[in-house]
Each structure stands twice: as C-alpha cells, then as structure tokens.
C-alpha cells in the first residue's frame, strides 16, 4: 500500500493477530475489511489513571490554565494558539469525562488524529493514544445512552432554493428554474445551505417569493396574461464537436437541448444565436452547415448557414481570402441573424433541441483534441465548427389555456359540469393541494382562506374556474406553512426536556433528508395513522424512498455540497498551460462524479467504495483525458479502471482535483485542506492575519519545486503549525496536474515527489498510499461521512453532544460493511433525528 509506520513490537504483534484472523475469515463468514475494522476498534484497555498519566506526560506542559488564560501581550505563536483554543487539561476530571464532555471530545479528536503534541515534542505511542481515546469515548457514550441529548433545530426552518424547486415539482408536476426566480441561500460552517439558523427571510426574498408564486401558478394552470420569454445558453468553452445531449438525435453535432414548459397552447417564436467572436464574426462559416430545430425529436425547421453565398455556384465555398469581402461579411451576419422560426406548440413540457447535422466526412473516433483555449486566444473566426451560442423561446401569441398537461392533470382532480358545482370542486382541489404543500391535514380555516382567493379570481373580468384556481394556488405558494417548517415544543414540555417528534414532523424531516422535497401521499398517510413510530414501518419507508428517483437529491444536493462540487462552474484553466481544456471536460468531470456516487447509493455498496472502487464512468472525452483506451462517443458508460495506482475512487476524479488547483498549477495546500475537511474530518484552522504569500521561487531566486517553496513557507512559525498537517496529504496527489491529468513531471520540470508524512508519523506515497491509509483504518472516514450526513439530515451544525450518535452509527453500520443503507438508517433511527430538545 506504500505506507510506512513507525515500528513497534505491539504494532507487529497486532499485525500478526489480524493476519491470523483474516486467514480464518472464510470460516467465520466475515470479510477481511470487517476484521480490520474490528481489530482497529479494539485497542489495549485504558483507565482513568492511564488517561491522566498520558495528559500529565505529554499535554499539560502547554495545555494548562496558566498558559491558556494568560493575559495578552507578546507571546509565541504557540501561546497565541493555546489562548484561542482555550483547552486547559490540568484541571479536568478523568474519572468522569461525561461531566465535561465538550472538552473531552476535543481531546478525543486530537488523540485519534495524532495531531498533538506538535512534531518535535515527546509523543505517546499510537496504541496508547488510541486506547485513551477509546476509553474516553466509551465513558461519554455510556452517559449519552442513558440520557441522550438530541439537540435543537431552529424553530423556523425556511425551505432553501433547492427544496422550494423540488417541492413545486412534486406538488404541481412542474420543473422551474428556481435560480432565475429566487436569490441564493447562505451556507453554514458545515457547508450546507439547509441549515435553519442561516435561512432567514428578508423583505427582498418575500418580494421574490410573491413574484415566483405568480409565475409558477400561471405556468401550472396555463392561465397566462402576457407572453413569456426564456433563454438557454452554451458556455463559450464548449467545443460542440460531438453529440451534445441524449435528447438530440444520433448523427448530430453540437447545439443544445432544454426542457421548457410552454405556458399555453399558441404560437411561439424560436430564435437561435450562433457563436461569434469579439468582432461579431460568426465562427465556422467557412463551410456549409445544416442546423436543425426540433421539438420532442420532431424536425420543425432546417437552416443552411455558411459556405455557399447567394448567387454563387453550388460547389463554391468562400475561402479565407474572400472572407474580407463586404458581401461575404454581410452574408455571414445575415445568415446568423435570421435563424428564427414561428411554430404552433401545445402547452406543457417539451424538449426543444437545436443541433448541426454531422457531415459524413467529419471525423469520428480518435482524433487530435480541439484546443479550445488556443482558439479563444487567437479569435479564430473562419475554420472549425460553427457553434450554437443560445436558444430563445418567446410566447405564446394568441394563446389558449392548454387542454392537457402534466401540471393540469396533477392540479385539476375534478372538473365542474355546472356553475353550481364549482365551489365543491374547488374545495376538493385546494384541500388536496394544501395537505401536500403544508405537509399536514389542512384545517377548515386553511381551505376557507384559499377558497376566498378562488372566489376573487373567479369574479375577475373574464375570469373563470381556472382563473380562480390559479389565484388560490398563488396564495398557497406564499403561505408560511408552505415556505417554513415550523418546530414547536409540545405544551407542558419542561425546559431542556427531550421529546419524540410527532409523526407528521418526522415525515417532513425524512422527506427533506432523502428527497430535499415534501412528503408524498404514502408517507403522509403513514404519518397521519401514527405508524412512523413503528421501527419496522419507518425502515420500510426509508428503503422505499431510497429506491425512488427523488433520492437522487442525495447526490445533487448532499454530496455536491459535502465535496464542494457546486464550485465546478468556477473551474478555469490557463490556456497557455492547458490549451485542450474546455467546458466539455468540466461537464464530463461533473457527470463522472455524480454517476459514480449515485451508483454506490443505488447499488447499496459500502461507503468505503467511494475511496476504493475499481470502476468509474467516462465518455470518450474523459477517457482520452485519463488515458483509458477503447472508449468512443459522447455516451457515458461504466468502465473498470486499468491501473488503480493512477485512478480509483473519488480521490482520482478530475472534478475534485481541478477544484483544488489554480488555473496554472496544482496546489498541495488547497488539496490538503480539502482532504482534511471533507475526507479526514479534521479541518485546519483558518490562516492567521497577514500571512505571507507563497514564494514564487526558491532561495536566491533559483527555480524551485512546489515542495521546496512550501518548505520555505513553513519556516515562518505562524505558517508551520498548520502547514505541517495541510501539506502532506496534498503532496500525495501531486501526480495529478491542475486539470486532473496523470503526470510524472511537475510544471517546473521537477520529477514528481508524491510522498507525505502526516503529523502522527505515518508516511504514504501517491494515490495508492493515501487510499490505503484511509482504508486501513476506515473509521475516521466513515465518521466524517456520517457527521456530514447527520448535519445535512438535521439542518443544523453538530455539537459535542452529537458525537456519541455519530460513533454509534459508525459502530452499528460496520456489521453490514458500512453500506449506504446502514449509515442512512443509522441516521434516521438515531435520537438526534427522532427527537428534539425543548428550549432551555
């Protein structure tokens, strides 16, 4: 595994014991991974005296009341850090760690990470540290089991933007672009945007909610008052050399496809914009291009752009020399300016696609990559492929309410045959929608409020039954019971008392955890019958919900925030250094990681496969980037990786490697910090004020490798304390350049040195060594994932009293190999998820 540990007789004895146990694993039916986990969980026994002795020998010379509480003034970097932590250990009671659990949890974290004492000072052995940490954790867990503290989520929990969009989708069968309707949400220190404490409501947000409700209710019902407008755009870094989407036909090239909800039956205008350079020259007009506009795959119009000019013989194409002719310039501009179609479209969701027809002579399969960065630098305007920059849809003109759409089928559960039946039908429609939107049975007053708005809409000039439902739906979408999850303590609850969540509140917590959306009717039915308190029913609902396509939110919402994948849109590369970098590669990175994580959840694999899987998902563009042979076309497919020393698991994904780099070079600091936060679960503190910049060159101005430059940086005591833990894991990924490509030589021409020594003395080299380091002792990674998942599920930051819950989930899931379902069920069945603490 390319891992070296400081030798010790106890460590060798333990290794022999594990090897003997593994030899008998076939008879016991337990996997080697489970045996390793079991061995790792059983350090030598400890006691209050041994814990106290460890602190006295190695810790209190620094962590004592005198140094921690010393007055300000001139002090060393270490003294300043001690004051900031406030962690004094000379006065704590090792006999009863649960009495000061907050302080002892910090000790446990440092002992398990091996981060203290700092390098250069005497340190306890690894086994001694693990034994002390295990003993302290066991005592705290025993006290927590006797009196669990589930914590307290904020009383008002606003739906974030993602949850709002998903709720509209599930309530009204309508997909909307919430990013265009609502402002973004703040994220908490945990990195998630569903934290109740940061989801406030401002006056500006209220105005946007009102505007969004008006637009959404009209789209859903088909009651429109004016033409609407939508625009879809491609990135200028997209090469458009292959089939761009599975919604576009085979044999097509470039373009874009988008699902658009046409508000009503009527005539719509489609406008196609081609990519131009800064001089407004349309790119790729040196040859004839056929451009198709399609609706749900049906051809609406075929355009001819470029190549032949009006009045010229058919075989003639314009050469670069002729390109300066004013007539040619006029032709090019006009051919791109008049890509407009009017067409009749039925209301409802349709896939609008625009793409070029691939010429028979265009190359397929392996070819030299298009160097998009160089093209942008040179403003190439004549050669190469024509490209679609945008597609705009406008309308309807002379529209009519659509007869049948998914949204209208979802909303109109009945149709009144006469005016006398309208109110009864409206009551039935609105009561059903209110139950789903408010996530509880609606009270009579709730329905009467909506009926008042129905009557007002019905009475408008030119109004009708549909107009009344539209206005009532607009009112429903701004109701606090829809926008807020309200958590109220039960009457008579004593201050600080823990109490079980009511079934309906538990149903909402469960659906927003697994789906980032509202409960469906089956889950609400079970909650109204009071069945979610039955563990068997609750487990059955969890498994049903995980099998539902809506559980994809665990990838697009939870994993994307945990791993910072939402920042992929900001990834850029320096064209002079990486001329073949383009948006196609970024989209391939995104698809690879999303499909990979999704497959581990769908197949209920071990969460450890996130680190150790021998497969990934690639298309031709990404396979060529990774050096994987035999993959052709734009379709993603699952492939077995040929070399696990180079790829394997998330840590070899280009998405994460490019996110943690600069546009022109790698950054062991960014990568190391990301690894400590997201994978090891030991985030370093922020940089001190006025931290000096990393030197660009070595001593005396000589060229230097990144490792040498960081060594110079660490000579500053203010920098050394953090970089001692940040840099080593980052160095282990130095075999990857700034866009995730494997390399053996760095940007500066030095041979790659991918070794790193962690603060606990363990040395590892490269991806294989880093992966082995994590899988050899899997509990820290599973604990980190569990912490993130629990914080996401609860919608709050975790505190010290949540650590017993995290440890229990990790322990219990080990029996099932840490499968996703075992970790998720552990979260759902924990006191923190099922209960809440009353206000003090």
């Amino acid at each position: 595994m390319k891992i070296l540990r400081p030798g010790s007789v106890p460590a060798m004895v333990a290794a022999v014991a594990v090897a003997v146990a593994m030899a008998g694993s076939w008879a016991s039916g337990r996997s080697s991974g489970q045996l390793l986990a079991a061995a790792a969980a059983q350090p030598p026994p400890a006691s209050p005296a041994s814990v106290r002795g460890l602190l006295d020998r190695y810790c209190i010379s620094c962590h004592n009341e005198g140094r921690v509480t010393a007055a300000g003034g001139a002090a060393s970097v270490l003294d300043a850090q001690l004051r900031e932590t406030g962690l004094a250990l000379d006065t704590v009671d090792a006999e009863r760690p649960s009495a000061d659990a907050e302080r002892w949890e910090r000790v446990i974290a440092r002992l398990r990470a091996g981060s203290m004492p700092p390098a250069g000072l005497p340190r306890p052995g690894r086994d001694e540290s693990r034994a002390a940490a295990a003993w302290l954790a066991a005592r705290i867990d025993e006290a927590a089991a006797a009196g669990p503290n589930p914590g307290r989520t904020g009383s008002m929990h606003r739906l974030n933007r993602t949850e709002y969009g998903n709720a509209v989708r599930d309530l009204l069968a309508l997909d909307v672009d919430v990013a265009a309707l609502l402002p973004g949400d703040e994220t908490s220190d945990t990195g998630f945007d569903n934290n109740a404490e940061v989801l406030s409501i401002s006056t500006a947000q209220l105005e946007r909610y009102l505007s969004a409700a008006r637009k959404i209710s009209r789209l859903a019902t088909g009651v429109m008052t004016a033409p609407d407008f939508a625009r879809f755009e491609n990135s200028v870094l997209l090469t458009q050399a292959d089939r761009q989407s599975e919604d576009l036909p085979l044999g097509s090239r470039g373009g874009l496809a988008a699902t658009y909800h046409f508000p009503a039956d009527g005539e719509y205008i489609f406008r196609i914009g081609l990519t131009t350079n800064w001089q407004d020259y349309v790119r790729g007009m040196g040859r004839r291009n056929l451009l198709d506009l399609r609706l749900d795959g049906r051809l609406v119009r075929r355009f001819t752009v470029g190549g032949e000019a009006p009045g010229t013989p058919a075989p003639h194409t314009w050469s670069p020399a002729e390109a300066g002719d004013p007539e040619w310039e006029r032709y090019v501009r006009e051919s791109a300016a008049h890509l407009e179609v009017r067409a009749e479209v039925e209301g409802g969701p349709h896939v609008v696609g625009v793409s070029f027809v691939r010429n028979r002579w265009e190359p397929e399969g392996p070819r030299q990559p298009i160097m998009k960065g160089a093209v942008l630098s040179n403003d190439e305007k004549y050669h190469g492929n024509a490209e679609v920059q945008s597609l705009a849809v406008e309308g309807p003109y002379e529209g009519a309410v659509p007869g049948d759409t998914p949204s209208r089928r979802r909303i109109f559960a009945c149709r009144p045959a006469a005016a006398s039946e309208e109110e009864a039908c409206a009551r039935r429609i609105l009561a059903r929608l209110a139950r789903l939107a408010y996530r509880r049975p609606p009270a009579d007053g709730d329905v009467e409020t909506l009926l008042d708005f129905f009557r007002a809409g019905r009475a408008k000039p030119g109004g009708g039954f549909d107009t009344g439902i539209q206005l009532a739906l607009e009112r429903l979408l701004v109701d606090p019971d829809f926008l807020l999850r309200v958590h109220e303590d039960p009457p008579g609850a004593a201050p600080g008392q823990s109490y079980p969540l009511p079934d309906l509140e538990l149903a909402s917590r469960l659906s927003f955890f697994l789906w980032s959306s509202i409960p469906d009717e089956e889950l609400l039915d079970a909650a109204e019958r009071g069945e979610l308190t039955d563990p068997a029913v609750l487990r059955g609902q969890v498994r049903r919900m995980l099998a539902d396509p809506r559980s994809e939110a665990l990838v697009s919402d939870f994993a994307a925030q945990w791993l910072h994948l939402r920042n992929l849109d900001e990834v850029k590369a320096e064209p002079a250094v990486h001329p073949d970098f383009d948006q196609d590669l970024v989209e391939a990175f995104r698809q690879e990681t999303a499909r990979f994580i999704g497959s581990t959840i769908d197949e209920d694999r071990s969460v450890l496969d996130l680190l150790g899987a021998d497969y990934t998902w690639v298309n031709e563009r990404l396979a060529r980037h990774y050096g994987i042979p035999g993959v052709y076309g734009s379709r993603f497919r699952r492939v077995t990786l040929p070399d696990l020393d180079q790829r394997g698991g998330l840590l070899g994904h280009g998405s994460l490697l490019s996110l943690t780099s600069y546009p022109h070079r790698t950054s062991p600091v960014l990568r190391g910090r990301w690894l400590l936060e997201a994978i090891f679960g030991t985030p370093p503190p922020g940089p001190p004020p006025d931290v000096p910049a990393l030197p660009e060159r070595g001593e005396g101005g000589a060229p230097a490798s990144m490792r040498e430059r960081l060594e110079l940086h660490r000579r500053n005591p203010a920098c050394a304390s953090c970089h001692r833990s940040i840099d080593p894991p980052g160095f282990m990924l130095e075999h990857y350049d700034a866009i995730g490509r494997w390399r053996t030589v760095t940007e500066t021409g030095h041979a790659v040195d991918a070794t790193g020594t962690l603060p606990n003395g363990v040395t590892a080299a490269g991806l294989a060594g880093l992966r082995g380091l994590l899988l050899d002792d899997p509990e820290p990674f599973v604990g980190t994932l569990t912490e993130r998942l629990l914080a996401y599920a609860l919608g709050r930051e975790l505190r010290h009293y949540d650590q017993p819950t995290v440890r229990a989930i990790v322990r219990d899931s080990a029996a099932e190999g840490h499968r996703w379902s075992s970790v998720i069920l552990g979260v759902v069945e924990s006191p923190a998820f099922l209960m809440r603490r009353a206000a003090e």
Side-chain angles (χ1 to χ4, degrees), residues 351-372:
V351 177
V352 186
V354 56
S355 60
F356 293 97
V357 177
R358 182 187 290 277
N359 292 304
R360 293 183 180 179
W361 50 264
E362 288 189 56
E364 293 189 3
R367 57 190 181 275
Q368 182 180 9
I370 296 174
M371 295 192 176
K372 191 71 175 181

Side-chain angles (χ1 to χ4, degrees), residues 597-639:
I597 297 175
S599 71
T600 65
I601 298 175
D602 293 343
E603 298 167 20
D604 197 19
R605 300 171 73 95
S606 171
V607 299
L608 297 177
D609 282 1
L610 293 173
L611 301 176
D614 63 352
Y615 71 91
T616 193
W617 294 79
V618 295
N619 63 358
E620 180 183 354
R621 177 71 180 89
L622 187 56
R624 186 170 64 236
H625 188 71
Y626 285 170
I628 299 174
V631 178
Y632 305 111
S634 58
R635 179 182 62 86
F636 276 82
R637 77 291 314 261
R638 181 169 170 164
V639 298

Side-chain angles (χ1 to χ4, degrees), residues 502-538:
D503 279 62
L504 285 168
E505 193 168 329
L506 180 57
S508 285
R509 176 170 280 190
L510 187 59
S511 67
F512 281 105
F513 170 33
L514 299 181
W515 290 347
S516 293
S517 185
I518 56 177
D520 63 359
E521 296 205 37
E522 181 173 340
L523 185 60
L524 278 178
D525 288 343
E528 289 175 13
R529 294 192 297 265
E531 295 176 351
L532 291 184
T533 51
D534 183 336
V537 173
L538 182 61

Side-chain angles (χ1 to χ4, degrees), residues 318-341:
W318 292 78
S319 68
E322 296 169 302
D325 186 280
E327 178 66 15
W328 186 88
E329 303 289 1
R330 182 191 62 79
Y331 165 63
V332 167
R333 294 175 193 274
E334 290 182 357
S335 67
H338 290 84
L339 301 183
E340 181 178 303
V341 179

Side-chain angles (χ1 to χ4, degrees), residues 41-66:
Q42 297 172 6
S47 66
S50 65
V51 171
R52 183 72 265 169
L54 183 148
L55 298 181
D56 291 343
R57 288 194 305 274
Y58 301 107
C59 304
I60 64 170
S61 59
C62 295
H63 289 277
N64 59 73
E65 288 286 347

Side-chain angles (χ1 to χ4, degrees), residues 157-461:
H157 195 163
R158 175 174 63 82
L159 304 192
N160 64 24
R161 191 164 66 177
T162 299
E163 293 167 340
Y164 181 92
N166 291 344
V168 168
R169 176 201 64 198
D170 295 340
L171 180 68
L172 304 175
L174 179 67
D175 282 304
V176 294
D177 181 10
V178 289
L181 297 175
L182 299 174
D185 300 302
E186 296 290 332
T187 58
S188 66
D189 291 343
T190 60
F192 297 116
D193 62 6
N194 68 343
N195 187 298
E197 298 300 328
V198 300
L199 289 170
S200 58
I201 299 183
S202 66
T203 303
Q205 283 174 316
L206 286 174
E207 292 172 352
R208 296 287 288 275
Y209 277 124
L210 291 168
S211 175
R214 185 177 306 112
K215 182 179 180 68
I216 290 168
S217 61
R218 290 174 177 176
L219 281 173
T221 58
V223 175
M224 297 295 294
T225 58
D228 199 11
F229 177 85
R231 181 182 173 90
F232 309 95
E233 293 193 25
N234 274 330
S235 166
V236 294
L237 285 175
L238 204 64
T239 62
Q240 301 191 38
D242 291 305
R243 183 186 178 206
Q244 208 62 43
S245 166
E246 293 183 1
D247 290 324
L248 295 172
L250 294 170
S252 67
R253 175 187 62 76
L256 61 84
T259 299
Y260 178 65
H261 187 97
F262 290 80
D265 297 347
E267 184 182 55
Y268 290 83
I269 298 175
F270 301 86
R271 293 189 177 92
I272 303 168
L274 300 185
T275 302
T276 62
N277 68 0
W278 64 276
Q279 294 175 315
D280 286 336
Y281 289 121
V282 180
R283 186 171 298 148
M285 291 293 102
R287 63 170 183 256
R288 183 170 177 263
N289 297 273
L290 299 179
L291 182 65
D292 290 349
L293 174 68
R294 296 177 179 271
L295 192 68
D296 294 330
R298 177 179 57 83
L299 183 65
V300 176
R301 175 77 178 272
R302 173 166 288 177
F303 299 92
T304 301
V305 293
E308 302 168 6
T312 61
H316 180 77
T317 57
W318 292 78
S319 68
E322 296 169 302
D325 186 280
E327 178 66 15
W328 186 88
E329 303 289 1
R330 182 191 62 79
Y331 165 63
V332 167
R333 294 175 193 274
E334 290 182 357
S335 67
H338 290 84
L339 301 183
E340 181 178 303
V341 179
R342 286 178 175 261
E344 294 286 334
V345 182
E346 292 183 353
H350 298 282
V351 177
V352 186
V354 56
S355 60
F356 293 97
V357 177
R358 182 187 290 277
N359 292 304
R360 293 183 180 179
W361 50 264
E362 288 189 56
E364 293 189 3
R367 57 190 181 275
Q368 182 180 9
I370 296 174
M371 295 192 176
K372 191 71 175 181
V375 169
L376 289 176
S377 298
N378 298 332
D379 278 318
E380 179 179 354
K381 67 179 181 183
Y382 183 79
H383 294 294
N385 292 322
E387 299 173 351
V388 173
Q389 178 64 40
S390 63
L391 170 64
V393 183
E394 183 181 316
Y397 294 96
E398 300 179 2
V401 175
D404 182 49
T405 67
S407 293
R408 287 179 62 82
R409 288 195 297 272
R410 181 71 59 85
I411 294 169
F412 293 100
C414 57
R415 298 295 307 187
S420 60
E421 300 176 3
E422 286 188 354
E423 186 138 334
C425 181
R427 181 182 293 275
R428 178 183 169 189
I429 290 171
L430 297 174
R432 176 182 170 275
L433 291 175
R435 175 176 180 261
L436 292 170
Y438 302 161
R439 306 172 290 278
R440 58 170 174 77
D444 291 340
D446 297 324
V447 179
E448 283 301 322
T449 297
L450 297 175
L451 281 172
D452 287 342
F453 278 81
F454 164 77
R455 297 178 189 117
R458 178 71 178 83
K460 284 182 177 181

Side-chain angles (χ1 to χ4, degrees), residues 10 42-43 54 81 121 123 183 187 192 207 229 320 435 515 535 553 562 577 594 665 696 723 727 735 752 763-764 801:
Q42 297 172 6
L54 183 148
Q81 292 173 338
L121 296 177
R123 314 183 76 178
T187 58
F192 297 116
E207 292 172 352
F229 177 85
R435 175 176 180 261
W515 290 347
W562 165 42
V577 181
R665 66 165 175 84
E696 289 297 324
H723 281 273
D727 297 349
H735 270 300
V752 169
T763 298
Y801 47 75

